[in-house]
Amino acid sequence: MKLEHLNAAVVVQAESHNPSVLHPVFLSSQNIVPTGWELSEAPVCTPAVSIIRYQNRISVLMEQGRLQVLDEMPSSETPIPAIATGILRALPHVRYRAVGLNFGSILVCADGSDCLKQRFLRDGPWEREPAPLSAVGYRFVYLMEGAKLRLTLDPGSARFPDGRNEIEGILVNANYHMPVSEQTALDDSLAAISRAEECRNHFLNTVRIHFEIER
């Protein structure tokens, strides 16, 4: 099976974000994003929510309770940790509460449900009449130093933004949740975001171990 990356995101929870400050001019004037980045659509900038989408598939969303920086075509060189770091440094007085590092991928196979059943489910009455099992999904929880990983596996399909055909397989989603201290919220949040590459590598290794995929 081949692992295809779908998206990656940095999510920062806060008590009181101010979405109205998030604007393309703010991001470029603070050197958070390059001035040459072009918008894919008109930005939404309101007191309740602001959304900025760029043509390179990077988007920034801010609500009162969270900030999300999303990359819909992620690679190991994704700029989203640097963008999230830049926003937090520009807004140091926000009461940050937690950081999430999210990774979404798909393991390509002809029948995701069948692959999951063969890998993780032993034979039993749940697979036979009168109500045979038609699909399965799994959630794994791991504890890391300063973080909790929730890994979910579900049969499904995905379509890539670059126009490739829809592919079938196992949707693999990972959330690394890292709480921060109220007294050192900014420093803790920045430290959590700096672990993006570490968590990405941990995610890839975990999936490889689960499905015995070679590097």
Side-chain angles (χ1 to χ4, degrees), residues 1-214:
M1 287 186 287
K2 181 181 179 182
L3 185 68
E4 295 274 8
H5 302 297
L6 301 175
N7 54 69
V10 176
V11 179
V12 183
Q13 298 175 356
E15 184 176 313
S16 54
H17 280 304
N18 179 10
S20 62
V21 306
L22 188 68
H23 188 275
V25 175
F26 166 79
L27 294 176
S28 59
S29 66
Q30 296 289 326
N31 296 315
I32 297 171
V33 304
T35 55
W37 280 16
E38 296 184 6
L39 297 172
S40 62
E41 59 187 63
V44 175
C45 302
T46 73
V49 61
S50 289
I51 307 171
I52 301 170
R53 294 189 172 93
Y54 293 97
Q55 291 187 4
N56 59 3
R57 303 291 180 180
I58 302 293
S59 63
V60 184
L61 176 147
M62 184 181 286
E63 300 171 314
Q64 292 183 353
R66 69 175 179 134
L67 164 72
Q68 175 184 277
V69 186
L70 174 69
D71 186 346
E72 293 184 271
M73 296 189 68
S75 69
S76 58
E77 304 299 324
T78 178
I80 60 174
I83 294 172
T85 295
I87 294 173
L88 266 61
R89 290 192 183 279
L91 304 172
H93 302 300
V94 175
R95 295 182 178 179
Y96 300 109
R97 293 293 183 236
V99 171
L101 300 175
N102 302 331
F103 305 94
S105 299
I106 184 168
L107 273 166
V108 183
C109 61
D111 188 326
S113 183
D114 188 58
C115 290
L116 284 172
K117 287 192 289 184
Q118 290 184 24
R119 184 64 181 168
F120 297 108
L121 188 67
R122 67 182 179 86
D123 182 54
W126 44 84
E127 291 226 70
R128 294 187 284 274
E129 297 290 352
L133 186 67
S134 62
V136 295
Y138 296 95
R139 183 178 72 170
F140 299 86
V141 179
Y142 298 93
L143 297 180
M144 297 173 59
E145 182 178 355
K148 178 182 287 187
L149 166 61
R150 293 180 177 88
L151 182 73
T152 61
L153 308 172
D154 294 285
S157 61
R159 187 180 298 276
F160 293 93
D162 60 7
R164 280 182 283 171
N165 293 333
E166 187 174 60
I167 55 177
E168 300 287 336
I170 300 169
L171 296 172
V172 185
N173 289 288
N175 166 251
Y176 290 83
H177 178 79
M178 289 169 268
V180 302
S181 169
E182 184 175 353
Q183 290 73 28
T184 55
L186 176 61
D187 289 341
D188 289 357
S189 297
L190 294 173
I193 295 170
S194 73
R195 299 181 65 184
E197 183 175 358
E198 172 196 349
C199 290
R200 181 179 185 274
N201 290 334
H202 182 270
F203 164 64
L204 294 176
N205 288 332
T206 302
V207 175
R208 291 186 181 111
I209 291 170
H210 277 52
F211 292 94
E212 297 181 343
I213 301 173
E214 296 183 0

